[in-house]
Amino acid sequence: MSAAKAQPGNSKGAGAFSAWEFLLAFRYLRTRRKHGGVTLISVISFIGITLAVTALIAVMSIMNGFRHELLSRLLGVQPHVYVYTAESSALTGDLVDRINQVPGVRQAGPIIAAQALISSERAASGAQVIGVRPSDLGRFDLIAGEGEAAAAGGGIVQGSADDFGVGHNGGDGILIGSGIAAQLGVSAGDTVTLLAPQGASTPMGTVPRRKNYVVEGIVSMGVLDLDRIYVFMPLEQAALFFRRSGGADYIDIRVTNPDAPEAVVEAVRQLVPPGSAVFDWRRQNQSFWTALQVERMAMRMILSIIVLIAAMNIISGLVMLVKNKSRDIAILRTMGATQGAVMRVFLISGAAIGVLGTIAGIILGVLIAVFIGPIQDFLAFVTGVDVFDPSVYLLYRLPARLDWAEVAFVAVWGFATALIATLPPSWRAGRIDPVEALRYE
């Protein structure tokens, strides 16, 4: 359609962003023959924005998945809130019962944490021993086989925790991580030996304490590093073996909302004796938490810049389009089109590329995040190698968690960058002098 047929002077279409402006803008995007280079650049711009937005959504979804999986599994075995007090009797007394009454507390109980050497007839390995009351074992989601963490692969993979601390072994049964079981070459029902570094003093020196325990069950927590170190023991046995006269080292508190434990921390501080320390898991894992936050912000910034670079391709396409359509612009101006109307025509052309590219990128990014599992399996099948080795990445599957707030941010950012990129050439088109354009045409 020629500029004359667009009838910009028609009173019915003279408003801002009127029908003739949209019609002319989309007609310019489909320019063919001698001006076909404009269409090619528009296609390249569309593909660039699509791929950039897809990468932003896919990468942020995978990072959110890593964060969620690591935190859910980490908090599946570690306390949400820690309570340390100098009065050791308070750790196993009525303080625990009072903490359990605090709103937002799911469960609280005493814990003994110590290091030991665990060995079998085949090998030996260092271990982090957690002494816990059998009645409190269910608060560890990964062991109890409950919640999102259990759905991701946590729980008892061999044996059972039913006889933990009260079974036929007289309380000498323990639970060990699947990584330790693999290193020692043991399974449920086998016997292992624990060696504590703090031993009895003798004329020959310090003799480490050692005792045999039966493996009641093997636990998989879904994180390879955790599976390689954790051993769970009944609290009374741990107190005897590690000689904890107070009966516990600290109180483990589980809250209903681990992402916001501040209210529980303040409430518990009102209950504990003076001089006690109460803090949440973020302080205990400060470097890890800070690294996650910084990495997330850095990746979002870097990928947002990539989207901005892709949107810059729109400028080159519009500059060529304005140059090729100088004669049409002059005719429109002589027919009564204002500078703003001409500017809006090219603004619509460039914004359409950005909007359509962003929508296509959002669709592809969401599909990748949703079907990340089959995609990983397909790549492993095609390449013949495990593209996500758990010994390297510490997780057994490539995680992805779609955050719709992130998708909304990407949509707004994609639309905004496309709109900003169209402003300079659109402004230049509106400033063209029709007399000069027709004279040199």
Side-chain angles (χ1 to χ4, degrees), residues 16 160 222 334:
S160 172
T334 58

Side-chain angles (χ1 to χ4, degrees), residues 42-43 45-54 314 350-364 410 414-415 418:
S42 299
V43 172
S45 302
F46 170 82
I47 295 175
I49 294 176
T50 299
L51 295 179
V53 171
T54 300
I314 298 176
I353 299 173
V355 170
L356 295 177
T358 301
I359 293 175
I362 289 174
I363 294 174
L364 288 178
V410 173
F415 297 154

Side-chain angles (χ1 to χ4, degrees), residues 200-262:
S201 298
T202 68
M204 303 299 295
T206 301
V207 178
R209 292 186 305 278
R210 57 184 300 155
K211 186 176 180 180
N212 293 333
Y213 291 90
V214 176
V215 178
E216 292 281 358
I218 296 176
V219 183
S220 174
M221 285 159 274
V223 180
L224 197 59
D225 274 5
L226 300 181
D227 291 338
R228 285 174 174 172
I229 62 172
Y230 273 107
V231 172
F232 298 90
M233 179 185 295
L235 184 67
E236 293 182 357
Q237 287 292 323
L240 292 173
F241 184 69
F242 294 104
R243 296 187 176 180
R244 296 294 199 271
S245 58
D249 293 335
Y250 58 87
I251 296 177
D252 177 333
I253 302 176
R254 304 284 160 148
V255 300
T256 55
N257 185 11
D259 289 332
E262 297 85 359

Side-chain angles (χ1 to χ4, degrees), residues 381-396:
F381 173 77
V382 172
T383 60
V385 297
D386 189 356
V387 295
F388 194 72
D389 188 355
S391 64
V392 177
Y393 298 101
L394 309 180
L395 291 173
Y396 296 103

Side-chain angles (χ1 to χ4, degrees), residues 79-83 99 102-105 253-255 257-272 276-284:
H80 301 164
V81 178
Y82 296 77
V83 176
I99 291 177
V102 173
V105 173
I253 302 176
R254 304 284 160 148
V255 300
N257 185 11
D259 289 332
E262 297 85 359
V264 173
V265 171
E266 292 301 321
V268 171
R269 282 176 179 164
Q270 306 300 320
L271 301 177
V272 299
S276 301
V278 182
F279 53 89
D280 58 50
W281 63 271
R282 292 175 298 186
R283 175 180 167 187
Q284 180 71 9

